[in-house]
């Protein structure tokens, strides 16, 4: 029983290795096509603008192969940031090295794996059908015109079977290790990524604590004071009703005004936690609402957007809200433009105005809070605001959906 289980496990391992090489043939051919396209674009000056797009395609193909390799290994190699908007030079070099390897060795390994079953089936078919097709040559250019030659063809088929059983698994294991080593980032990149994750985790904790303090402050200094005023006015009205009912009416009206102000404050606090417009109208609709209420004329350009998690949509919304608020208060701009798009599976938010520039997130403009909120979600934010303008806030966020 144990021997049968061992044999079954061995066969399954052989089949997995064979499938890994065969599946990799398709990506190897795609890698070869990208390699040729990169060479052509690099050789022709007019096609140089296409090179960054091809490099992103290389990164996407490498990421796909990284995940496929990880499924066979049981633990995917760590990904690097080649798809995160910018193109880190070490990551691009590593992907290009893998591209050359996969386009050559990966193609040869896939062809070798496919040759075993094809050669086995072809030679067995020729050995069985040689009376109908005398003189047909086998895969080793051996003519089949007699039973002896048919027997030789059967031996050739057995050789293909042996190669498939013995060589292909070794080839699959070797190429799996080689591909995994080429796809994994260097130890320095892993250390940098660990430091980045640690920093963003700390930023997420700090951002959460700051948000709780802000909510508590808004409730304490705003809503609570309004509610206390309502209670005081109602107490005065209660005493006035016993002495002079006509004097109670102004006090009741003042209490009503205080209650309305408290309700408005409470609605503002609720909107600052998670805007209801996001749930009702989605990210694009809520950003359009912000643009419609902006003091500075604002246009929104929206490309097809991916589905995003609620936290990501909230971060994008507050990025636009803060940028529009800063534009209205500080920039002296006459126009502002909001651009929402998807890039390499990430959400990109860009807000640009034609104001005076010189924005500094360290000056208490709220952009520092936007950065913490974005980085807590493993996103990135950049601010470009030279003196004289324009000011551009560029944010990329994962979708998590």
């Amino acid at each position: 029983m144990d021997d049968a289980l061992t044999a079954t496990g061995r066969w399954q391992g052989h089949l997995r290795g064979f499938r890994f090489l065969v599946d990799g043939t398709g990506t190897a051919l795609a890698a070869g096509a990208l390699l040729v396209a990169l060479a052509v674009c690099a050789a022709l000056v007019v096609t140089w603008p296409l090179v960054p797009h091809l490099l992103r395609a290389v990164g996407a193909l490498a990421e796909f192969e990284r995940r496929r390799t990880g499924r066979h290994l049981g633990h995917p190699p760590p990904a690097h940031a080649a798809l995160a908007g910018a193109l880190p030079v070490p990551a691009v070099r590593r992907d290009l090295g893998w591209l050359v390897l996969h386009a050559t060795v990966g193609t040869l390994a896939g062809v070798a794996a496919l040759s075993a079953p094809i050669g086995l089936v072809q030679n067995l078919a020729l050995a069985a059908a040689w009376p109908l097709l005398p003189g047909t040559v086998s895969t080793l250019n051996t003519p089949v015109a007699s039973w002896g030659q048919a027997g030789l063809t059967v031996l050739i088929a057995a050789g293909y079977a042996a190669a498939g059983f013995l060589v292909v698994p070794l080839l699959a294991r070797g190429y799996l290790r080689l591909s995994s080593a080429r796809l994994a980032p260097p130890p320095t990149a892993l250390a940098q990524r660990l430091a980045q994750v640690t920093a963003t985790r700390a930023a997420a904790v700090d951002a959460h604590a700051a948000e709780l303090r802000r909510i508590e402050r808004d409730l304490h200094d705003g809503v609570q004071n309004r509610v206390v005023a309502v209670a005081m006015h109602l107490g005065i009205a209660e005493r006035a009703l016993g002495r002079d009912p006509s004097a109670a009416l102004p006090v009741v009206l003042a209490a009503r005004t205080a209650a309305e102000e408290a309700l408005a404050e409470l609605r503002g606090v609720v909107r600052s936690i998670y805007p209801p417009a996001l749930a009702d109208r989605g990210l694009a609709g809520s950003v359009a609402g912000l643009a419609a209420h902006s003091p500075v004329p604002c246009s929104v350009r929206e490309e097809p957007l991916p589905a995003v998690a609620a936290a990501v949509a909230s971060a994008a919304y507050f990025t636009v809200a803060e940028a529009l608020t800063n534009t209205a208060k500080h920039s002296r701009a006459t126009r502002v433009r909001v651009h929402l798009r998807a890039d390499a599976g990430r959400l990109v938010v860009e807000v640009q105005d034609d104001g005076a520039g010189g924005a500094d997130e360290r000056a208490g403009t709220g952009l520092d809070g936007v950065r913490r909120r974005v980085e807590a979600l493993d996103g990135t934010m950049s601010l470009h605001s030279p003196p004289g303008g324009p000011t551009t806030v560029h944010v990329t966020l994962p979708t998590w959906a």
Side-chain angles (χ1 to χ4, degrees):
M1 185 66 175
D2 293 339
D3 293 340
L5 291 175
T6 302
T8 301
R10 187 181 298 113
W11 271 107
Q12 290 176 347
H14 292 343
L15 290 175
R16 282 196 300 269
F18 174 77
R19 181 180 175 184
F20 172 75
L21 294 179
V22 172
D23 290 347
T25 307
T27 55
L29 294 176
L34 281 174
L35 196 60
V36 173
L38 279 170
V40 171
C41 288
L44 301 176
V45 177
V46 294
T47 56
W48 282 359
L50 296 176
V51 171
H53 299 286
L54 290 174
L55 291 178
R56 295 187 191 281
V58 171
L61 184 63
E63 181 64 21
F64 175 82
E65 190 68 14
R66 183 178 290 109
R67 293 176 181 175
R68 191 178 72 90
T69 301
R71 286 195 296 270
H72 283 270
L73 287 172
H75 52 86
H80 48 56
L83 299 177
L87 291 172
V89 174
V92 171
R93 288 176 180 171
R94 197 162 189 84
D95 283 351
L96 288 177
W98 167 83
L99 189 74
V100 175
L101 171 74
H102 196 53
T104 53
V105 180
T107 301
L108 293 175
V111 170
L114 285 170
S115 298
I118 292 175
L120 171 63
V121 173
Q122 180 183 357
N123 283 279
L124 287 178
L126 288 174
W130 77 266
L132 301 176
L133 301 169
T136 305
V137 296
S138 68
T139 53
L140 296 182
N141 292 324
T142 302
V144 183
S146 66
W147 286 111
Q149 291 169 339
L152 178 60
T153 304
V154 172
L155 291 177
I156 295 173
Y160 275 109
F165 187 78
L166 299 175
V167 177
V168 171
L170 295 176
L171 183 63
R173 285 195 293 269
Y175 188 68
L176 185 61
R177 295 192 188 99
L178 180 62
S179 181
S180 176
R182 292 300 304 172
L183 288 169
T188 54
L190 290 176
Q192 292 172 358
R193 178 59 179 161
L194 179 59
Q196 181 184 8
V197 170
T198 303
T200 54
R201 180 182 177 185
V205 174
D206 292 342
H208 180 67
E211 189 71 7
L212 288 179
R213 287 195 298 270
R214 182 192 64 79
I215 295 171
E216 180 184 12
R217 184 175 61 251
D218 290 345
L219 291 174
H220 182 274
D221 298 341
V223 178
Q224 179 176 281
N225 289 340
R226 303 291 185 188
V227 173
V228 169
V230 171
M232 291 176 60
H233 283 94
L234 290 177
I236 295 173
E238 181 183 7
R239 290 192 295 271
L241 285 173
R243 299 191 302 269
D244 184 7
S246 62
L249 181 59
V251 181
V252 172
L253 293 177
R256 177 183 176 181
T257 301
E260 291 174 348
E261 291 174 350
L263 184 59
E265 292 265 2
L266 186 59
R267 286 173 177 167
V269 173
V270 171
R271 282 195 297 269
S272 69
I273 298 173
Y274 189 83
L278 280 175
D280 298 336
R281 304 168 60 187
L283 177 59
S286 59
V287 169
L290 288 174
H293 291 87
S294 172
V296 180
C298 179
S299 62
V300 179
R301 179 185 171 193
E302 176 202 344
E303 298 180 11
L305 299 179
V308 297
V312 175
S314 177
Y317 175 89
F318 283 115
T319 296
V320 176
E322 184 63 37
L324 293 181
T325 300
N326 288 340
T327 298
K329 287 183 177 180
H330 309 294
S331 71
R332 303 193 300 276
T334 60
R335 293 290 302 175
V336 60
R337 177 182 63 86
V338 179
H339 189 188
L340 302 176
R341 70 179 190 275
D343 185 10
R346 295 172 71 88
L347 176 66
V348 179
V349 180
E350 188 174 87
V351 183
Q352 184 179 73
D353 65 57
D354 61 355
D360 185 359
E361 61 185 280
R362 295 170 298 181
T365 58
L367 291 176
D368 182 57
V370 171
R371 180 181 294 278
R372 289 197 304 269
R373 183 190 291 265
V374 168
E375 291 181 347
L377 298 174
D378 203 20
T380 61
M381 183 194 114
S382 63
L383 172 66
H384 182 69
S385 183
T391 296
T392 303
V393 178
H394 184 93
V395 168
T396 63
L397 289 160
T399 59
W400 286 0

